[in-house]
Amino acid sequence: MILVTGATGLSGSMIIREFAQQNMSVRALFRNPDKAQQFHGLSDVELVQGDMLQPESLTAAFRDVERVLMISSARERMVQTQCGFIDAAKAAGVPHIVKYSGKESGVDFDPDKFRGTREHLEIERYLETSGLAWTHLRPSQFMQFYLPGTLAGVEAGQRELRMPIGDSRLSPVDIEDVAKVAVALMRSDGHEGKAYDMTGPEALSMKEIVEQISEATGIAFRYTEISLEEKLQELRAKGMPEPAIQTLNEIFAERSRRPESHVWLQTHRAFGVEPTSFLEFARRNAQAFLR
Ligand SMILES: NC(=O)c1ccc[n+]([C@@H]2O[C@H](COP(=O)([O-])OP(=O)(O)OC[C@H]3O[C@@H](n4cnc5c(N)ncnc54)[C@H](OP(=O)(O)O)[C@@H]3O)[C@@H](O)[C@H]2O)c1
């Protein structure tokens, strides 16, 4: 049996749907029954409730599990959640954990300057020395980050992207691609001790991203370069919690310091997944961009 945690989140929900699409059995861990309702009616999906921070709640989730795809939120005590979960999985006899990690557009961020990089690396090291078989799947920034409603993406109703990163380029990846790779990885053998980085197929400036959204929607969007301080003020005004603002503060600062992004498609190729371009992504989500 394959277990996927964080099943009700942005990545987890697309991954569970990809399993269902391929008629592959999967167990989905959720903690909020309301959010798990989206999976009702998917016959290959077994829903199990549990909290990754409470090992005693995970007994049913771990039963007969051969491999776990471990996902949790970057915003919520990620190190404590995932390292505790690794301990609980080991105690339950789970042989192999695939960590859903992250790597910024194929460029190494300074772990001392960006908490996300630091925490993913800390968890990766913890897993590697746990005695369990391990694999890391490391997507770069998600294309979904640019959709309206994500607080940091395109301004809902304004047709405008306001960013403080100058001419920096990024190679965002479509989570749909990551989901296809994740399912292929979870259902095949031979991935122990390996790390799979993934970016999208192009390194794009914010101006180019906005041009592609305009082309896909047929409506003119604009890119406005703003200062880091302005961006942080705007996020505060929208009610974003301070820890999340600090994370974005660090990530925007790192992107300004490292303006180039690599494109890394070996993982797409290794698993036979066609890379989705940003234009294709924007066309598929044209209605969402126009909200
Ligand atoms: N944003 C990016 O561009 C990017 C790029 C590469 C990698 N990543 C990494 O991808 C990972 C997933 O991010 P995401 O945005 O897809 O996820 P997300 O939407 O934040 O969802 C996280 C999921 O984890 C669950 N969860 C958190 N704590 C839990 C606990 N104690 N017990 C059980 N479930 C728990 C949440 O449950 P609830 O639904 O109940 O809250 C939710 O389903 C993160 O580690 C992030 O660093 C992000």
Side-chain angles (χ1 to χ4, degrees):
M1 176 56 81
I2 290 167
L3 172 68
V4 177
T5 73
T8 52
L10 183 61
S11 305
S13 55
M14 287 195 208
I15 291 168
I16 295 296
R17 282 200 198 86
E18 186 60 33
F19 270 103
Q21 173 85 13
Q22 295 187 28
N23 300 314
M24 274 282 297
S25 292
V26 67
R27 185 176 293 159
L29 184 78
F30 69 94
R31 57 179 175 179
N32 179 337
D34 290 340
K35 290 190 186 178
Q37 276 190 15
Q38 61 183 297
F39 303 126
H40 289 173
L42 296 180
S43 54
D44 296 309
V45 180
E46 182 193 341
L47 295 167
V48 178
Q49 191 166 11
D51 187 326
M52 295 167 81
L53 283 165
Q54 294 180 23
E56 66 283 1
S57 73
L58 298 170
T59 309
F62 285 141
R63 193 163 297 131
D64 301 323
V65 165
E66 287 143 33
R67 205 168 278 154
V68 180
L69 179 60
M70 179 178 68
I71 308 175
S72 77
S73 173
R75 294 181 297 276
E76 256 183 278
R77 293 187 285 170
M78 187 166 69
V79 173
Q80 190 188 344
T81 302
Q82 297 195 5
C83 292
F85 180 85
I86 292 166
D87 292 342
K90 187 176 177 183
V94 171
H96 183 186
I97 292 184
V98 178
K99 168 165 169 49
Y100 197 84
S101 194
K103 186 162 178 178
E104 185 58 34
S105 292
V107 177
D108 286 323
F109 272 6
D110 183 344
D112 291 332
K113 297 212 170 80
F114 177 47
R115 184 174 63 88
T117 302
R118 189 163 61 244
E119 293 193 352
H120 278 306
L121 283 175
E122 186 177 340
I123 299 162
E124 287 185 4
R125 294 297 93 80
Y126 192 83
L127 177 57
E128 288 164 16
T129 54
S130 67
L132 299 182
W134 58 268
T135 308
H136 306 317
L137 179 57
R138 299 189 187 125
S140 71
Q141 184 199 46
F142 301 144
M143 289 182 183
Q144 280 75 2
F145 173 88
Y146 294 94
L147 289 169
T150 60
L151 286 178
V154 166
E155 299 292 315
Q158 305 289 311
R159 318 276 192 260
E160 184 182 19
L161 180 66
R162 297 167 64 81
M163 288 293 224
I165 60 167
D167 295 332
S168 293
R169 288 176 176 275
L170 288 161
S171 320
V173 64
D174 186 356
I175 303 177
E176 298 273 358
D177 291 5
V178 187
K180 289 187 182 113
V181 165
V183 173
L185 194 164
M186 295 303 288
R187 63 187 297 184
S188 56
D189 296 324
H191 307 298
E192 292 83 354
K194 294 184 182 165
Y196 292 100
D197 297 355
M198 284 184 83
T199 73
E202 304 143 296
L204 298 165
S205 67
M206 294 302 104
K207 190 167 164 285
E208 288 166 341
I209 281 185
V210 164
E211 282 166 4
Q212 299 200 6
I213 297 170
S214 302
E215 186 178 336
T217 56
I219 302 278
F221 281 64
R222 68 182 180 281
Y223 169 52
T224 307
E225 195 181 328
I226 56 173
S227 70
L228 183 53
E229 206 34 59
E230 260 178 290
K231 185 74 185 181
L232 300 182
Q233 296 281 7
E234 288 180 6
L235 295 173
R236 277 191 192 102
K238 283 180 184 170
M240 185 180 265
E242 201 53 37
I245 289 176
Q246 283 319 315
T247 300
L248 285 172
N249 182 16
E250 289 179 6
I251 203 165
F252 288 138
E254 273 299 87
R255 280 187 189 140
S256 301
R257 270 192 289 273
R258 291 159 200 263
E260 290 306 317
S261 271
H262 302 309
V263 167
W264 186 264
L265 299 177
Q266 276 84 335
T267 300
H268 281 84
R269 289 192 199 108
F271 291 96
V273 175
E274 192 60 36
T276 304
S277 69
F278 193 88
L279 185 58
E280 289 164 335
F281 165 80
R283 285 196 175 120
R284 200 179 76 228
N285 289 282
Q287 287 312 313
F289 276 113
L290 292 173
R291 269 202 308 239

